[in-house]
Amino acid sequence: MNRFVVDAMLGRLATWLRLVGCDTYYSPKTDDDDLLRIARDDSRVLLTADEELSRRAADDGTECMLVRGTVDERVASVFMRFGIEAVADPALSRCTKCNGALVHIFADEKDRIKGLVFDQTFNHYDEFWLCEYCSSVFFRGGQWKNIEKYMARIADLMT
Ligand SMILES: [Zn+2]
C-alpha cells in the first residue's frame, strides 16, 4: 500500500486517508523543502494542490500527484489513482490526529482507556481503538455513521 505525505492545504484529505488505513504524514507546519525531503527519504508519494511544488517534485524524480477540485473530488481522485477502497473500518484505520497505529481494546481490557473518554462513552461501548502515541480513543459512535455515509458518497464519485 502506498504511503503518503500531504501538503498543508490538504488536511482533510490527510484525515480521510488515515481513516481508510493509509500511512499519511501531515503537519500544517511542514514547508515545501521538508515535504520533498520526507517524500524522498521515506518513500512516500507527495500529494499537493500546489503546481509549483508538483513541478519541483517531478524535477526531483519524486512521485507526486497534483490534487485538484473540491475536497470530495480530491479524496475520490486520490483513492482512484492509488486503488484505495472507499471503506472505513476502525480496525484498519490509523489515528486521524497523529497517524499512529491503533490498538484494539476489547471489553475485558477497557480499563486501559478509562479517563481518556467521557464516562458515558466508557460505559456505553465495549470496543475501542487506542492510539498509543497521542492517547486518542476511537469507537463506533454516532460520528461513525457520518464516516460511512461520506465513504458511500466518495464511492459514488469513483464510479
Ligand atoms: Zn494519535
Side-chain angles (χ1 to χ4, degrees):
M1 191 190 264
N2 286 287
R3 303 187 313 145
F4 300 97
V5 52
V6 171
D7 83 21
M9 289 181 281
L10 299 176
R12 285 172 67 193
L13 173 61
T15 299
W16 288 110
L17 283 167
R18 288 171 177 174
L19 264 170
V20 297
C22 294
D23 181 337
T24 304
Y25 181 97
Y26 168 77
S27 161
K29 284 174 239 138
T30 312
D31 67 22
D32 287 0
D33 289 335
D34 282 335
L35 290 170
L36 288 166
R37 184 184 49 74
I38 290 162
R40 196 175 50 235
D41 292 356
D42 213 12
S43 302
R44 291 176 184 270
V45 179
L46 174 60
L47 304 177
T48 182
D50 177 347
E51 266 183 66
E52 189 188 330
L53 181 58
S54 81
R55 263 197 301 275
R56 285 183 62 193
D59 290 346
D60 249 18
T62 298
E63 190 176 357
C64 176
M65 177 178 173
L66 181 60
V67 182
R68 296 179 185 281
T70 63
V71 173
D72 292 5
E73 287 163 351
R74 289 169 174 182
V75 172
S77 64
V78 169
F79 281 20
M80 274 194 285
R81 162 109 170 238
F82 297 100
I84 299 163
E85 260 193 279
V87 176
D89 176 351
L92 303 172
S93 290
R94 300 184 76 89
C95 177
T96 52
K97 299 205 175 89
C98 80
N99 194 41
L102 301 182
V103 180
H104 202 161
I105 305 290
F106 295 94
D108 60 350
E109 45 183 10
K110 79 177 188 173
D111 278 346
R112 283 182 69 184
I113 56 105
K114 197 165 176 60
L116 296 176
V117 294
F118 292 115
D119 285 349
Q120 208 184 347
T121 304
F122 181 84
N123 293 330
H124 191 264
Y125 295 94
D126 278 328
E127 198 179 21
F128 298 89
W129 286 268
L130 168 68
C131 174
E132 289 195 312
Y133 287 94
C134 75
S135 296
S136 290
V137 175
F138 301 87
F139 52 93
R140 280 200 188 91
Q143 88 282 16
W144 197 261
K145 286 243 175 320
N146 294 332
I147 290 169
E148 285 174 342
K149 259 190 227 150
Y150 187 74
M151 284 292 112
R153 199 155 89 223
I154 295 302
D156 276 349
L157 282 178
M158 290 167 68
T159 55

